[in-house]
Amino acid sequence: MASQILPLELIDRCIGSRIWVIMKSDREFTGTLLGFDDFVNMVLEDVTEYETTPQGRKKTRLAQTLLNGNNICMLIPGSEGPESDS
Amino acid sequence: MDESTPPPPDIDAYPPPPPPSAPTGTPTDFLKGVVGKKVIVRLTSGVDYRGVLSCLDGYMNIALEQTEEHVNGVVTNRYGDAFIRGNNVLYISAAEPL
């Protein structure tokens, strides 16, 4: 059987690269992944937070940040987030 | 008697203590590094609390000093000490270099 890769192994391979985090709410983050734990709490660097509101998208720049895993919905490795072309 | 005084352990038998390692970047390492620094704590409601992180635990319960409450970028309150229950925390961000 072809070698399996577990979901958290996939995230582990993303350490050091850019990642796009989509929350359960209308909130998204991009940043460089420094690490994470079993709850998928994540440490990110050079972070941009995107808040999508009826008034438009609000961007916030952050330095090193610990993101609570409780509200994370989806992770997209190697992406620059909602403003990337791909 | 000899049996009552065991020889001191051979220090060479123990591995040397690990060097003061650079943070590897896990959440625990981040939290160790950020205590005592200025931080921005954002709650899931979108309210920000900026202050000096005095301590915290594995639930992300947080004690802040010199706390400023920011709503939509405007300071709405100041507290000397504040405790934030961890379930409300969206993120903890370093507000000064680590």
Side-chain angles (χ1 to χ4, degrees):
Chain A
M1 191 176 129
S3 68
Q4 278 230 35
I5 177 168
L6 296 166
L8 288 185
E9 286 175 29
L10 182 71
I11 304 307
D12 194 68
R13 293 185 190 188
C14 298
I15 287 175
S17 49
R18 301 291 288 177
I19 194 164
W20 179 15
V21 183
I22 301 178
M23 312 298 283
K24 290 195 281 190
S25 58
D26 293 330
R27 211 186 277 279
E28 300 167 32
F29 294 85
T30 61
T32 305
L33 180 62
L34 298 186
F36 66 98
D37 62 15
D38 288 348
F39 303 108
V40 199
N41 299 315
M42 314 187 90
V43 182
L44 301 170
E45 196 170 51
D46 301 324
V47 183
T48 309
E49 176 186 3
Y50 300 90
E51 281 175 273
T52 309
T53 63
Q55 289 76 40
R57 193 150 59 201
K58 187 179 159 204
K59 279 208 292 185
T60 311
R61 297 298 314 273
L62 300 163
Q64 230 183 78
T65 299
L66 172 61
L67 184 61
N68 193 338
N70 194 30
N71 300 301
I72 291 176
C73 176
M74 184 159 58
L75 304 170
I76 297 149
S79 174
E80 271 306 322
E83 294 183 335
S84 64
D85 294 325
S86 57
Chain B
M1 277 188 271
D2 281 343
E3 284 172 41
S4 63
T5 57
D10 180 5
I11 57 166
D12 292 335
Y14 293 93
S21 56
T24 56
T26 64
T28 313
D29 296 326
F30 173 82
L31 292 174
K32 280 180 189 163
V34 84
V35 171
K37 300 285 204 315
K38 284 209 73 175
V39 295
I40 304 163
V41 178
R42 176 162 290 189
L43 311 188
T44 49
S45 61
V47 179
D48 281 349
Y49 291 89
R50 292 163 178 257
V52 177
L53 182 65
S54 51
C55 61
L56 80 176
D57 63 16
Y59 297 108
M60 288 199 207
N61 294 321
I62 291 169
L64 283 179
E65 296 169 346
Q66 303 162 35
T67 313
E68 290 179 344
E69 181 184 77
H70 292 247
V71 179
N72 299 319
V74 181
V75 179
T76 50
N77 258 315
R78 291 177 209 276
Y79 306 106
D81 288 296
F83 171 84
I84 299 171
R85 195 170 190 273
N87 65 307
N88 302 293
V89 174
L90 174 66
Y91 63 69
I92 304 166
S93 184
E96 62 178 304
L98 296 185

